[in-house]
Amino acid sequence: MWMEILQHQQIICSLFGALLVGVCGIFPLLVIPIEEGANLKHGAAARTLRILLSFAVGGLLGNVFFHLLPEAWATEQIAYLAKNPGETIQARTSMSTGMWVLAGILSFTVLEMALPDHDDSSDEQEHEKSHKLHQEKNCEERNGNYISSMAVLSEKHLTEVNKHKNNNKPPEKRVQVSGYLNLMANSIDNFMHGLAIGGGFLVSFKMGVLTTLAILVHEVPHEIGDFAILLRSGFTRWEAARAQVCTAGSGLLGALSANIFSMATFEEKTSWVVPFTAGGFLHIALVTVLPELIAERDKWESAKQIASLVSGVALIALLTQTFD
């Protein structure tokens, strides 16, 4: 009877810990100073978002190189020594981890290429073209040559001008594929967090609490970076918060899996998930977000973005050194 009660307590604590880690995804909603409906392509909101994106890149890189990859290599080495007692670690034992990292990078790249984002540059060009036509028309009106300008402007151009003038509907908002890729990687990451939390509570209540706190401390800066990436991809603040909370479901699944299955066997079968997730994070940081930051031409803004990127790396390194 006591064993059954203890087992139920372990499951409840594991689920609560995984849910707590997942719910911290709404924390950025309270601290990121970007108003609902702000123009994220121009102005102060765009500059703030780029600084947050720089922090996101640093956080992702720090998470990969200070947390995920060391964990993947350590797991692979432990598994190798368990199967080959008395032998020393060889370089080939890390090939499996490297292959899964590469598989993650390539998989996310293929997905982004197979599901291309809608290119809204044509909409911007159309807007600029219509605006130019408006200016030409106004200039002709001021010079008293409106009638002659009607003959010069083609019927097609006049249709475009009138359409732009009478159409006050805001352009349809589209979410970029990169946002969904980030949510997918975050879901996989949360699954592994849930697995670790569940395993911690299986060892002892104290181990479970410490594991939950360590993951929670790591996740807060990571969630801020994820939130910025979702905003960049076209999510509103509340949509990004809801999406972050939805990924908590994978954490609950990981916690349940830890309690249902044998941890030793289950961890061995899922050892590929950590390096695969690391590859996904590398793709998001270096391929999806970083090129936009490199395109910055303002020296002062570039300096602030580099400082933010380094801060993201340094914070993850500090947290890893303190709590791992």
Side-chain angles (χ1 to χ4, degrees), residues 121-132 134 164:
S121 61
S122 59
D123 295 335
E124 294 181 0
Q125 292 174 358
E126 194 70 24
H127 174 76
E128 292 177 0
K129 183 178 180 181
S130 298
H131 182 67
K132 183 177 180 180
H134 270 296
H164 177 72

Side-chain angles (χ1 to χ4, degrees), residues 73 76-77 79-81 83-84 87-100:
W73 284 324
E76 185 177 1
Q77 290 173 359
Y80 179 82
L81 292 177
K83 292 180 180 179
N84 304 276
E87 293 190 16
T88 57
I89 298 295
Q90 300 180 11
R92 62 184 177 85
T93 61
S94 62
M95 277 194 63
S96 176
T97 297
M99 290 174 61
W100 280 115

